[in-house]
Amino acid sequence: CTTATILMRLAARPDGIFRPGDNPTIDVGLPEGSEGYMHVILVDVQGVVYNLLPNRLAPEHSVAALRETAEDGRIRVAFSEAVARAETRVAFRVDDSVIGRSRVVAFHTREPLFEGNRKVTETLDIFLQDLVRRREAAPEIFLGVQSAILETRG
């Protein structure tokens, strides 16, 4: 099984480094086939986890369903503010409180990583405790993981 790929974009920032005021978008390339589920998080420099997929605004996270709306095999998990307002989606703007390196992580699993939707934000400690418990209880569900750095500078 091929793992997902993560792409972060902002047309005005070809160097891939985001600055305060920027509104980056985040796309995740779907793995080959239609097996499993995706869970995508962003962990910021302060240790806050943002559950980008699934969440209450985008609860569907099966690869088969995501593939139906994917463009070029990719799904967007963080949107421009204009799209987020119009379509009730997740967006964020870089501010001075998150300068540094954040990490986007995409998990591909055979079944949902967690039961139901998690809070939009949570601490890294709580997320990791639950992830470790899940991994210990059902190690066979993990198909792949991919991560990328989202770098911000002042």
Side-chain angles (χ1 to χ4, degrees):
C1 170
T2 302
T3 58
T5 56
I6 300 170
L7 307 165
M8 288 167 283
R9 297 188 179 146
L10 182 67
R13 300 281 185 218
D15 62 359
I17 297 170
F18 303 98
R19 294 184 169 65
D22 286 347
N23 170 214
T25 60
I26 301 172
D27 294 344
V28 175
L30 294 174
E32 292 178 2
S34 59
E35 179 185 18
Y37 294 82
M38 299 297 299
H39 191 103
V40 183
I41 63 170
L42 180 137
V43 183
D44 76 10
V45 298
Q46 297 174 340
V48 175
V49 173
Y50 294 84
N51 289 294
L52 301 177
L53 183 74
N55 61 51
R56 64 180 176 77
L57 301 175
E60 181 56 67
H61 63 292
S62 75
V63 172
L66 293 171
R67 189 163 304 290
E68 291 177 14
T69 59
E71 293 184 25
D72 296 325
R74 294 188 306 270
I75 56 162
R76 182 148 293 169
V77 295
F79 295 79
S80 70
E81 289 177 321
V83 169
R85 276 191 299 278
E87 299 179 14
T88 315
R89 301 290 191 148
V90 172
F92 68 96
R93 182 170 291 282
V94 175
D95 65 36
D96 290 334
S97 70
V98 291
I99 299 301
R101 290 181 167 202
S102 298
R103 183 168 295 272
V104 179
V105 183
F107 298 92
H108 180 209
T109 55
R110 291 184 199 285
E111 55 191 62
L113 186 56
F114 302 111
E115 284 189 33
N117 289 328
R118 298 180 72 84
K119 294 179 181 179
V120 175
T121 62
E122 60 187 306
T123 67
L124 181 58
D125 287 344
I126 290 171
F127 182 87
L128 289 177
Q129 287 172 13
D130 290 347
L131 181 64
V132 167
R133 278 191 211 108
R134 183 69 164 132
R135 176 99 174 145
E136 289 172 349
E140 71 282 355
I141 71 162
F142 290 85
L143 297 171
V145 63
Q146 183 75 19
S147 71
I149 298 292
L150 188 149
E151 187 170 351
T152 56
R153 295 184 190 165

